[in-house]
Amino acid sequence: AELMDTQAAVQDILAFMAEAGALAVANQKRAKVSYKDGNQALTETDLAISKLAQQRLKAWFDQPQHMLIDEESIKLSPSEVFAASEYQWVLDPIDGTAGYALGRQLYGISLGVCHRGKPILGAIYLPAQRLLVVADEVKAWRVDDPFTPQAQQEDLQCRVLD
């Protein structure tokens, strides 16, 4: 199979983060918590961001080898996921759901992609802080105030661990 264009994927992830972050900010004041298996907090925003990710992934890639692993909807075991897809997209729609529902500002949206189980690209966005960190297999960089024309990128010094 053809390898995914990671530069294009970064742009797709940034576009998704802008939409998902706007959704999270807009819905926070009316967020209500329900609980799923094992008393895990869940809001309608988690579900809406999960649905948005599913829609975007289908728009970006029409091939079946891309699968979204989403803590809100995945029912397959890791071995089943790896057998069914070449690329695994991993989403946490709202990391810090309970605090998010209480109106706290420290929550994030994370989305990453693995190729045959090996992480190749990922990002976490903290909408309330307007901070985005992106990493590929080689480097990580932060983008302050990412969705404005004057966005500033700063390479983070890090090394890839094997």
Side-chain angles (χ1 to χ4, degrees):
E2 189 174 310
L3 285 178
M4 181 178 62
D5 178 351
T6 54
Q7 290 298 83
V10 166
Q11 296 309 309
D12 292 337
I13 289 172
L14 293 178
F16 168 77
M17 289 297 188
E19 284 184 275
L23 190 64
V25 168
N27 290 322
Q28 187 174 20
K29 283 188 170 64
R30 60 180 172 274
K32 291 182 177 47
V33 174
S34 61
Y35 294 91
K36 58 182 181 179
D37 310 337
N39 289 333
Q40 293 284 324
L42 177 69
T43 67
E44 288 186 12
T45 306
D46 288 281
L47 298 174
I49 291 173
S50 176
K51 183 177 179 182
L52 176 67
Q54 288 280 4
Q55 292 168 343
R56 293 300 170 260
L57 196 59
K58 285 179 183 165
W60 301 336
F61 305 102
D62 59 359
Q63 60 264 41
Q65 66 253 43
H66 291 262
M67 180 180 285
L68 183 65
I69 301 170
D70 174 356
E71 69 176 346
E72 312 313 338
S73 62
I74 193 73
K75 303 293 185 234
L76 302 174
S77 71
S79 59
E80 291 171 321
V81 168
F82 296 138
S85 61
E86 184 172 354
Y87 291 96
Q88 301 82 37
W89 291 77
V90 183
L91 173 70
D92 188 345
I94 298 286
D95 188 7
T97 301
Y100 169 80
L102 290 170
R104 296 188 182 135
Q105 300 298 295
L106 190 57
Y107 64 91
I109 300 161
S110 58
L111 180 64
V113 62
C114 300
H115 181 244
R116 297 186 177 130
K118 179 184 176 214
I120 59 171
L121 185 63
I124 184 163
Y125 179 41
L126 308 176
Q129 282 73 35
R130 301 181 66 89
L131 172 65
L132 174 70
V133 176
V134 183
D136 62 19
E137 294 177 279
V138 179
K139 67 177 184 168
W141 61 98
R142 70 184 259 171
V143 183
D144 289 309
D145 212 10
F147 307 111
T148 62
Q150 66 273 17
Q152 298 293 313
Q153 285 196 191
E154 173 190 344
D155 282 351
L156 301 176
Q157 298 304 311
C158 67
R159 74 183 174 86
V160 176
L161 302 175
D162 290 323

